[in-house]
Amino acid sequence: MTFSKLAPLALLTLTTLAEAAEVEFEGAYQVRGRYYNSLSLTNLGDAGLPEGTALYAEHRLWLRPRFLLSDRVRLMVDVKGLDNVVWGQQPVYTDTFVNQPGFADGLSAPTSASDETSPLLDFTIWHAWGEVDTDFGRITVGRVPLHWGAGIWQNDGLSLNNEYGDTADRIAFEGLIQDSIFVRAAFDTHAEQFVNQQDDTYALSLAAAYKSERVVGGMQVHYRRTDRAAPANDLNLVTIDGALEAEVGKLSVSAEAIGQFGGGDLEGGLNDVSVTTFGGALDASLNLNPWVIRVQGGYASGDGDDTDNKLRTFTFDRDYNVGIMMFEQPMPTFAQAAPNEINENRNFDGVQLGNAVSNAIYVKPSIRRSLLWGFSAEASVLAARTAALPQRFSNRKGYGTEILGGLIYDGLDHVQLDVRGGVYLPGAYFRNYTVDAFQGFDRPAVGVQATGRLRF
């Protein structure tokens, strides 16, 4: 049965519920246009088929109805529609690039039952959970979005230009002590395998945070275990994540630091691994109206020895964006020898830098000035290098530099407009990368990203 046939029934159901419960809505519709030339970083055919120009636009719809059943009981639902579907295409799966950090935490949004890399693109129930307020605190049960701190590890994917979003099936209790100390205990199920075996992925987490008028700081401790009965395959992972937000006069600071520690067996036959990774991000802004000076920086640990069973590379959440090309678009990307609707004429086999901050040290200073009628102009420079590399790659340390200019509009309630464009200059990481007999991916890439959003 199609959605158009279900719509009258859904409307009748909503009308019936509204007679007994107050309903509030939150949501957004986003249109994003992108232009790139060329993410292949070369124009030589013997390095592959250069992609040349890529030009497309994408939809994204998010709706969150809140059913207020009483003063203490709520039902929350997140609905997605046309999720990153390209204009002119049907909402079907295409062969997109999937970043593989080695031991993925399994926090991504629900995927197709037939293909774990296939996102649910059509009109889809994304999350659904209930909240009950008791005299002692709040109980939450259901499929919930995950977010903590700046979002370098757990990111709900609801901000401008986000694409994915993290999810867990959760039972949680949270409370507020003396109106300033937040505490939470939660049990999460990330993956249910066979219902008659002990082979699931689950997690236990404890979180505490302090909030005052100008400072918010907290810590989350998260234990995750994956059991696989046949073949024997399991992983224990502990994540410690601290976050801080503060305002001191004209200065605003946001920071997050994370460490992950564990070990076990991974899929693909990699056994007895040891995991020790670190990551962190800092975002500081100084408001000197009409000027704003901002500095962003981050660190994601890398692995200096890829021949042992010690995993040291940390990967940020894909929804934590710092550029429009570097750490956002897979590079180098080539064209397909046999293009079709599934591969969309994009070949990711030669990708060296994925769509998330990983094994990186970066800094991004920027300056912004308010203009007339709600417009602001911004200029920024993003520079990055590897955190660690095996000795044989010692001549490939620099990722490069991305120089950007932007125009931002926020002068009308419920409307966001963000247009950014610039050039990416490949570093030694690409210039000294060899494919067969060809060496040197040194061609600059040009990119423009324009995003418009209606939010309520």
Side-chain angles (χ1 to χ4, degrees):
M1 182 178 292
T2 64
F3 173 69
S4 60
K5 294 179 181 179
L6 288 172
L9 178 60
L11 181 60
L12 177 61
T13 303
L14 182 59
T15 303
T16 304
L17 285 173
E19 295 177 357
E22 181 181 350
V23 182
E24 297 178 346
F25 274 88
E26 180 183 3
Y29 172 68
Q30 175 176 294
V31 176
R32 179 174 59 190
R34 284 173 157 175
Y35 165 84
Y36 299 108
N37 188 9
S38 155
L39 297 177
S40 301
L41 306 180
T42 180
N43 58 2
L44 298 179
D46 42 349
L49 295 171
E51 180 180 65
T53 297
L55 176 63
Y56 57 97
E58 299 167 309
H59 302 273
R60 196 181 202 212
L61 173 68
W62 160 62
L63 296 175
R64 175 177 288 175
R66 297 186 182 93
F67 300 93
L68 309 181
L69 307 181
S70 71
D71 291 341
R72 292 194 171 198
V73 181
R74 290 169 296 280
L75 172 64
M76 319 283 279
V77 180
D78 279 342
V79 177
K80 290 196 298 184
L82 297 176
D83 194 28
N84 296 306
V85 173
V86 174
W87 280 32
Q89 289 186 350
Q90 295 297 319
V92 295
Y93 173 64
T94 56
D95 188 12
T96 56
F97 174 79
V98 178
N99 196 70
Q100 298 292 345
F103 55 98
D105 271 349
L107 301 178
S108 296
T111 53
S112 165
S114 60
D115 187 337
E116 64 180 9
T117 66
S118 175
L120 298 175
L121 299 173
D122 210 342
F123 196 79
T124 304
I125 300 296
W126 188 13
H127 306 118
W129 72 97
E131 296 178 348
V132 179
D133 292 334
T134 72
D135 293 337
F136 305 100
R138 175 175 297 171
I139 298 172
T140 300
V141 180
R143 177 160 293 184
V144 302
L146 300 178
H147 197 93
W148 179 261
I152 68 172
W153 173 52
Q154 291 183 340
N155 195 308
D156 58 17
L158 297 178
S159 298
L160 189 73
N161 280 318
N162 285 175
E163 300 171 89
Y164 304 100
D166 295 335
T167 296
D169 292 333
R170 166 171 286 187
I171 300 174
F173 173 83
E174 55 190 46
L176 195 61
I177 302 173
Q178 296 183 346
D179 297 326
S180 59
I181 300 176
F182 165 85
V183 293
R184 181 179 66 210
F187 172 81
D188 297 339
T189 298
H190 293 295
E192 172 69 41
Q193 303 296 330
F194 300 110
V195 296
N196 61 343
Q197 295 189 44
Q198 301 298 315
D199 56 359
D200 307 329
T201 298
Y202 58 87
L204 299 170
S205 65
L206 297 174
Y210 169 80
K211 181 179 180 180
S212 68
E213 185 176 346
R214 293 185 176 273
V215 177
V216 178
M219 179 77 71
Q220 178 177 201
V221 179
H222 184 275
Y223 167 71
R224 173 182 179 271
R225 177 169 177 79
T226 298
D227 290 316
R228 295 184 179 91
N233 205 356
D234 62 84
L235 175 70
N236 294 289
L237 187 66
V238 175
T239 301
I240 302 174
D241 191 345
L244 174 69
E245 293 183 10
E247 290 187 16
V248 182
K250 299 179 180 181
L251 179 65
S252 299
V253 177
S254 172
E256 183 174 358
I258 183 172
Q260 292 187 312
F261 314 93
D265 302 331
L266 298 179
E267 294 184 61
L270 187 59
N271 298 326
D272 297 324
V273 301
S274 170
V275 177
T276 305
T277 68
F278 299 95
L282 175 68
D283 189 342
S285 297
L286 182 62
N287 191 344
L288 303 173
N289 192 31
W291 297 92
V292 176
I293 300 172
R294 183 182 182 187
V295 177
Q296 296 169 268
Y299 171 79
S301 61
D303 199 333
D305 185 354
D306 57 2
T307 63
D308 59 18
N309 63 348
K310 298 178 181 179
L311 304 183
R312 299 292 182 262
T313 300
F314 181 76
T315 300
F316 280 26
D317 189 279
R318 293 173 295 175
D319 281 323
Y320 190 87
N321 302 319
V322 293
I324 67 171
M325 288 172 281
M326 187 160 43
F327 306 125
E328 178 66 13
Q329 292 297 312
M331 295 185 290
T333 296
F334 300 113
Q336 289 278 356
N340 56 51
E341 292 182 356
I342 300 300
N343 61 45
E344 292 189 313
N345 199 23
R346 308 194 88 179
N347 183 345
F348 301 112
D349 292 344
V351 168
Q352 294 295 297
L353 187 62
N355 56 356
V357 177
S358 183
N359 181 18
I361 302 171
Y362 73 86
V363 62
K364 183 184 179 183
S366 62
I367 186 167
R368 180 171 173 174
R369 193 188 194 285
S370 298
L371 306 175
L372 298 176
W373 307 302
F375 286 93
S376 299
E378 183 175 287
S380 63
V381 178
L382 171 62
R385 55 156 293 166
T386 58
L389 283 176
Q391 182 61 34
R392 67 184 184 279
F393 298 136
S394 60
N395 64 337
R396 296 183 58 196
K397 293 182 178 180
Y399 286 127
T401 303
E402 184 170 313
I403 304 171
L404 293 172
L407 187 66
I408 301 97
Y409 175 76
D410 56 6
L412 184 63
D413 289 343
H414 309 294
V415 176
Q416 293 175 280
L417 178 64
D418 188 296
V419 181
R420 298 175 188 272
V423 59
Y424 171 66
L425 306 174
Y429 191 79
F430 293 101
R431 295 197 307 268
N432 295 332
Y433 168 51
T434 301
V435 178
D436 296 329
F438 178 80
Q439 179 172 335
F441 288 79
D442 55 4
R443 180 182 176 182
V446 175
V448 178
Q449 178 175 278
T451 307
R453 196 181 210 206
L454 302 178
R455 178 155 187 173
F456 58 94

